[in-house]
Amino acid sequence: MIFVAGATGNVGSEVVRALAAAGAPVRALVRDPAKARLPEGVEAVSGDLDRPDTLTDALKGSRAAFLLPGYADMPGLLAEVRRAGVEHVVLLSGGSAGSGDMTNAVTRYMALSEAAVRESGVPWTFLRPSGFMSNALRWLPQIQEGNRIRVTFPDVPVAYVDPFDLGAVAARALLGDGYRGEILRPTGPEALLPADQVAVLAGVLDRDLRAVGLSNAEARAEMSAAMPAEYVDAFFDFYVDGALDESIVRPTVLEVTGRAPRTFAEWADEHADGFRR
């Protein structure tokens, strides 16, 4: 049995899909098992990752577990994982986790989550992917309203990875022992600017979409309306001050799965209907 946290999220759902396609028994942690839409044969369970004591039954009998970072009591969560007899944890982390910069709020919760896993004594694999292609869904309201798409950090290229590929990498790690103790860094096949992504969406949707780059002041104002100041500062540290370089294209997806990672055009084509609603 393989336990998957965040099983209906962008990444967790792809982990579940990949494991189910491989014929593995999967236990998916969801908010409401009665309403969860999961592949056939996947067992839905409920629990609160911020309250590890609620996960005892969900984890029981699991050989491996896919976990997300940043919960309220990561050491307590890992203690529960270890008590359940889990033999391998695959943790979704982030590219900045290895910097050790605890002044950056995003880096801090990633690094602390990795530390909790390391200190638990349970064998582990860390995934430190580049940005997700699915982040483009944040432009959906603007696309529905018109053709001018306001983009933050317009000059920052990122080798965006399709969550489908990230799920496939996670599944390979969960299904075997070959990646224990390793840090995997999945990326997409090319580094794109926000304007490049908007151009791809324009072609797929047959729309005259245009990217409008925001100044740093405009970006800070918009982001501050949607997230805490410490996270706004973290992203400015990454993309304005240059603390994080996500433009590097790595062969991880090909090496782990045996196939090339999907392009942003492939992702956009698969999700086109979601942008047309």
Side-chain angles (χ1 to χ4, degrees):
M1 180 63 69
I2 300 176
F3 172 89
V4 178
T8 56
N10 284 333
V11 177
S13 63
E14 297 292 359
V15 177
V16 169
R17 179 161 68 154
L19 290 170
V26 182
R27 187 174 292 150
L29 185 70
V30 298
R31 287 191 176 90
D32 187 345
K35 296 180 179 179
R37 299 177 63 182
L38 298 166
E40 184 176 354
V42 173
E43 177 186 352
V45 293
S46 62
D48 186 345
L49 287 162
D50 283 324
R51 296 174 53 208
D53 61 298
T54 68
L55 300 173
T56 302
D57 290 339
L59 287 164
K60 187 179 299 181
S62 297
R63 182 193 63 80
F66 174 79
L67 299 180
L68 306 176
Y71 286 94
D73 181 11
M74 289 299 293
L77 173 59
L78 268 299
E80 196 66 43
V81 165
R82 182 172 183 174
R83 277 194 292 272
V86 172
E87 300 171 6
H88 185 197
V89 166
V90 174
L91 176 74
L92 178 63
S93 186
S96 70
S99 73
D101 181 6
M102 304 302 276
T103 67
N104 182 297
V106 173
T107 300
R108 182 169 63 248
Y109 82 75
M110 298 289 187
L112 290 175
S113 297
E114 289 191 6
V117 173
R118 290 180 191 271
E119 292 165 7
S120 72
V122 179
W124 52 265
T125 303
F126 296 152
L127 304 181
R128 294 181 183 171
S130 56
F132 303 157
M133 292 180 182
S134 55
N135 290 346
L137 291 169
R138 69 187 183 278
W139 297 324
L140 179 57
Q142 296 188 73
I143 290 173
Q144 292 173 333
E145 291 177 3
N147 289 333
R148 291 168 58 85
I149 312 303
R150 294 161 61 85
V151 300
T152 56
F153 312 121
D155 300 323
V156 177
V158 175
Y160 296 99
V161 64
D162 190 333
F164 174 84
D165 290 325
L166 184 51
V169 170
R172 289 294 180 97
L174 289 161
L175 289 170
D177 300 334
Y179 298 101
R180 292 190 180 192
E182 291 195 26
I183 298 172
L184 302 178
R185 297 175 171 86
T187 76
E190 57 188 340
L192 299 175
L193 294 169
D196 298 326
Q197 293 181 285
V198 172
V200 169
L201 290 171
V204 168
L205 301 175
D206 194 22
R207 293 269 303 275
D208 186 26
L209 302 178
R210 301 293 178 87
V212 179
L214 299 181
S215 68
N216 287 342
E218 290 170 327
R220 184 174 286 279
E222 288 204 2
M223 294 170 67
S224 295
M227 67 181 74
E230 64 175 351
Y231 289 105
V232 176
D233 290 341
F235 288 114
F236 267 73
D237 180 43
F238 290 154
Y239 302 128
V240 176
D241 299 336
L244 177 63
D245 182 2
E246 293 188 300
S247 69
I248 301 170
V249 174
R250 294 187 170 90
T252 306
V253 173
L254 176 61
E255 291 174 348
V256 175
T257 70
R259 58 168 178 75
R262 290 183 174 185
T263 65
F264 183 72
E266 290 174 306
W267 177 89
D269 187 64
E270 182 173 333
H271 294 84
D273 287 345
F275 284 98
R276 293 191 178 104
R277 291 174 184 170

